[in-house]
Amino acid sequence: MARKFICVWAPWFRTEIETHTHPEWVHLPLAIYSLESRQRDLLEVSPCAAHAGLTVGMSLREAQLRCPKAILVADDRPRYGKAFLPVIDALDCFSPQVEETDLGMAFADATGLTLLYGSDLELCRKIQIAIRESTVHRVNVGLAGSKFAAEIVARTADPSGIGAVLETDAMHLAQLPLTMLPLSKKTIKQLNLLGVCDLGAFAALPANTVRSKYGVEGHIAQKMASGLDDRPIKPRLRPLGFEETTEFEWGEQNLDRVAFAIQSMATRLAHRL
């Protein structure tokens, strides 16, 4: 059975959390900036902020000059990370192997899931609906034969927010620009000067030449462009939860009996570990 992967991507994850907390910000330009970069680069911009000219990677200073009315919020990784857990939990209901790779993005092994949930697109739609119903987030869901292709499908999905590769991954990726690959700006510029402007042309280059000229970075990127991304799902570790209860026939006030009941429950839990 051919391997399949699902990518769930929430493009406005951080900004949706903020507008959920501050409803008065819904129709205002909103962006999240990094505290780790020297220039406080923007990590995420809302659709309204994008319309105002703000882009991911723009410095905080430039954003303030470009759009003085924008609301600029510092990244709160612990808070946002905790808020992303319900998205992962919803995805857990569909696949036994789920991996969170970055804030707002997760992958799942979709091999064989169409036998349970229908066609590829129907599976994507059901996952999207389940996440929307259990959280406040809009997500894109992409399905393909590799993690890289599934991510690209999610990032380039139509307004419905779902998509699936109907041909091979390589054919689906062929016409996309090199900026989709994990390549440095310098490498992309060099390739463009050689007339290599899309993933199909890059995949067609001799592999030995790519590796010798662009190193490991180029080698990995060329495999991705060829639809040969062999990275497996790295499932998250699920914490085990055990529970024991004891019911009293009456409102117990004797501390010795309560202590004995607690000790008994602790003993039963210890035996289950």
Side-chain angles (χ1 to χ4, degrees):
M1 181 179 293
R3 296 296 302 275
K4 292 184 179 181
F5 297 87
I6 279 176
C7 175
V8 170
W9 177 51
W12 305 289
F13 182 74
R14 297 174 176 88
T15 52
E16 284 182 340
I17 291 175
E18 295 299 339
T19 54
H20 185 69
T21 305
H22 304 279
E24 67 275 15
W25 293 355
V26 170
H27 300 297
L28 297 176
L30 173 63
I32 310 298
Y33 65 88
S34 172
L35 290 173
E36 298 178 357
S37 62
R38 187 176 65 178
Q39 295 186 332
R40 301 291 193 261
D41 298 333
L42 300 190
L43 296 172
E44 183 178 305
V45 299
S46 68
C48 186
H51 184 73
L54 303 189
T55 60
V56 172
M58 179 181 289
S59 70
L60 178 63
R61 178 60 178 164
E62 184 179 354
Q64 291 171 328
L65 293 173
R66 181 72 61 87
C67 184
K69 294 182 178 180
I71 296 174
L72 303 170
V73 180
D75 185 35
D76 188 347
R77 183 76 189 205
R79 176 186 170 215
Y80 298 147
K82 184 178 180 181
F84 193 60
L85 291 178
V87 176
I88 301 295
D89 291 339
L91 193 52
D92 265 336
C93 296
F94 290 87
S95 173
Q97 291 192 314
V98 175
E99 174 187 4
E100 179 185 358
T101 57
D102 195 9
L103 187 62
M105 180 173 289
F107 290 91
D109 188 343
T111 307
L113 294 187
T114 53
L115 298 175
L116 298 173
Y117 300 105
S119 68
D120 289 345
L121 287 176
E122 188 62 26
L123 170 60
C124 292
R125 185 176 295 105
K126 289 178 178 178
I127 291 174
Q128 183 187 55
I129 292 173
I131 292 174
R132 183 62 175 171
E133 290 180 346
S134 59
T135 71
V136 299
H137 303 294
R138 296 167 291 173
V139 299
N140 289 0
V141 184
L143 187 149
S146 65
K147 291 173 69 175
F148 174 69
E151 178 182 343
I152 296 302
V153 172
R155 288 185 179 275
T156 58
D158 62 26
S160 71
I162 62 172
V165 171
L166 302 179
E167 60 277 323
T168 66
D169 284 2
M171 292 174 62
H172 183 85
L173 298 170
Q175 304 300 318
L176 296 175
L178 292 178
T179 50
M180 291 289 185
L181 290 170
L183 291 170
S184 67
K185 292 181 180 179
K186 179 181 177 181
T187 298
I188 291 175
K189 184 177 180 180
Q190 290 176 348
L191 288 167
N192 287 340
L193 290 174
L194 295 172
V196 179
C197 300
D198 56 44
L199 273 62
F202 183 55
L205 294 176
N208 290 337
T209 301
V210 171
R211 180 149 197 164
S212 64
K213 187 171 181 60
Y214 303 109
V216 175
E217 175 197 49
H219 174 67
I220 293 174
Q222 189 182 42
K223 288 183 66 177
M224 290 180 171
S226 304
L228 300 177
D229 179 15
D230 54 4
R231 294 173 298 162
I233 294 289
K234 297 178 181 178
R236 66 169 179 159
L237 297 177
R238 296 179 175 87
L240 295 177
F242 297 98
E243 180 179 323
E244 286 286 344
T245 61
T246 294
E247 293 185 6
F248 294 100
E249 294 181 0
W250 54 87
E252 185 57 73
Q253 297 181 351
N254 186 291
L255 292 181
D256 289 336
R257 284 194 287 266
V258 171
F260 179 78
I262 293 174
Q263 185 179 17
S264 298
M265 288 189 290
T267 301
R268 293 198 298 271
L269 282 174
H271 285 309
R272 294 171 61 186
L273 296 177

